[in-house]
Amino acid sequence: MSTAARLAAPVSKGDRIGIVTLSAPEPAAQSDVFARGVQALAGLGYEPVVGAHATGRSGYRAGTADELLDDFHQMIADPSIAAIMCAGAGRSSDRLLVGLDLPLIAMNPKLIVGVSDPSLLLTAITSPTGLVTLHGPSVMWDLADPDAPSETAEHFTAMLSGQSTAARVDTPLTWARPGSAEGPLIAGCLSSLRCLLGTPWEPRWNGVILAVEDAFKPTDLLDQTFTHFRDAGVLDKIAGLVVGESVGCEPTAGITVGDMIEDLSREYGWPLAQGLPYGHTPRKFTLPVGAMLRMDSSAEHPLTFVSPWVTAP
């Protein structure tokens, strides 16, 4: 993780937000849901701008890697676009890693918002450039949901604008191992972040607070994934671990995901908190990847961001 954070400008109501698809052709498959999400983004006060290939389809992806990267890079380079938001998710965002124009991204800092599969791109961008990105809602699976809790959009818009109150993650947590730690945040879907291990885009894990979650996978499969992190040395380097609420992750032989992670991390001394609503949960907090997070089991606000994630207004 870069030691020098690079911050984008805050996003205000009326600003233009680019929408890109980086993996699965979900907008093409469910155009009504996508349209509802775009309308909801406009309803929050922003001007949505849909990428040229965001609604396309090419097999199990929305387009070729070149096409999807071109959409993304055009949004980055366009000075009228204040932030970029992913339409949905998928399973192949890592196809874009080799073509990422990191110098372009660093020279044009703006908030990039993703969740699930695109969460690997957030870390792949933040680690080498220092640009703080946002692990937050998607257009389709959050904003488009008419039953989504109001807190999801409220915290998201507060993070976009840089409101100081958004730095406090006010939700109860279960502390499997109490304690305190402070470090830059890496947050994402566990299975997606695994794709970075052993690649040129793997982040520097030393001293980070790692937040992980996943969805629709049984415990034994996620055991394999988390064990890979342990055996790759990641757990030896981090300063603390926050486990998000799992969605659709069935226990295996009665063992939950939380049980498994606690068992695999017993030898480590860093604090371990569980139950953070983010990622695939309907009620979710937007987390600034790369910002300094303090976790403290004895504090009034156990999770608090102690560094800015956008420039001062």
Side-chain angles (χ1 to χ4, degrees):
M1 184 70 66
S2 174
T3 55
R6 188 185 303 269
L7 304 180
V11 181
S12 304
K13 298 298 177 71
D15 283 348
R16 306 176 87 212
I17 294 182
I19 301 173
V20 295
T21 302
L22 302 180
S23 186
E26 293 170 331
Q30 300 191 49
S31 58
D32 56 334
V33 176
F34 179 66
R36 192 163 64 240
V38 172
Q39 184 178 16
L41 184 61
L44 292 176
Y46 309 105
E47 181 184 344
V49 180
V50 180
H53 300 94
T55 58
R57 184 196 292 270
S58 178
Y60 53 83
R61 303 170 67 239
T64 66
D66 286 344
E67 289 171 339
L68 302 185
L69 276 169
D70 188 55
D71 280 4
F72 182 69
H73 289 148
Q74 284 194 36
M75 295 289 188
I76 290 288
D78 186 341
S80 75
I81 300 294
I84 300 171
M85 194 169 183
C86 293
R91 294 190 181 92
S92 58
S93 292
D94 55 335
R95 283 278 199 106
L96 308 187
L97 289 171
V98 71
L100 275 179
D101 190 337
L102 293 173
L104 176 71
I105 295 168
M107 288 188 297
N108 297 275
K110 56 189 64 177
L111 289 174
I112 302 166
V113 188
V115 67
S116 190
D117 180 52
S119 67
L120 66 89
L121 287 173
L122 301 181
T123 294
I125 288 169
T126 296
S127 188
T129 67
L131 176 65
V132 174
T133 55
L134 294 182
H135 191 289
S138 70
V139 173
M140 291 189 66
W141 308 121
D142 295 296
L143 300 188
D145 182 1
D147 299 320
S150 59
E151 295 95 326
T152 295
E154 289 167 359
H155 192 253
F156 172 56
T157 57
M159 273 288 172
L160 285 179
S161 63
Q163 292 182 28
S164 60
T165 55
R168 300 191 300 270
V169 181
D170 289 322
T171 192
L173 298 172
T174 299
W175 290 84
R177 189 161 48 247
S180 64
E182 185 175 307
L185 175 71
I186 290 179
C189 175
L190 184 67
S191 301
S192 299
L193 290 179
R194 184 186 188 182
C195 297
L196 299 177
L197 297 178
T199 73
W201 302 277
E202 181 175 0
R204 293 177 290 278
W205 302 101
N206 298 73
V208 308
I209 305 295
L210 176 61
V212 296
E213 58 83 43
D214 219 307
F216 310 114
K217 300 175 184 70
T219 298
D220 60 338
L221 181 59
L222 291 177
D223 184 309
Q224 181 188 62
T225 304
F226 195 70
T227 299
H228 189 181
F229 276 81
R230 184 198 65 182
D231 295 346
V234 174
L235 304 188
D236 295 316
K237 300 172 183 176
I238 64 174
L241 179 65
V242 181
V243 181
E245 294 178 0
S246 59
V247 175
C249 293
E250 295 298 324
T252 302
I255 299 172
T256 67
V257 173
D259 295 335
M260 174 271 293
I261 288 179
E262 187 174 349
D263 180 53
L264 275 169
S265 62
R266 288 188 188 280
E267 65 184 272
Y268 301 96
W270 33 253
L272 169 58
Q274 303 211 34
L276 176 64
Y278 88 104
H280 290 86
T281 55
R283 173 179 175 262
K284 61 167 55 70
F285 287 90
T286 297
L287 306 178
V289 176
M292 294 294 292
L293 175 65
R294 179 164 181 80
M295 57 186 302
D296 187 343
S297 59
S298 63
E300 180 183 0
H301 303 289
L303 296 181
T304 302
F305 289 97
V306 295
S307 70
W309 56 92
V310 292
T311 59

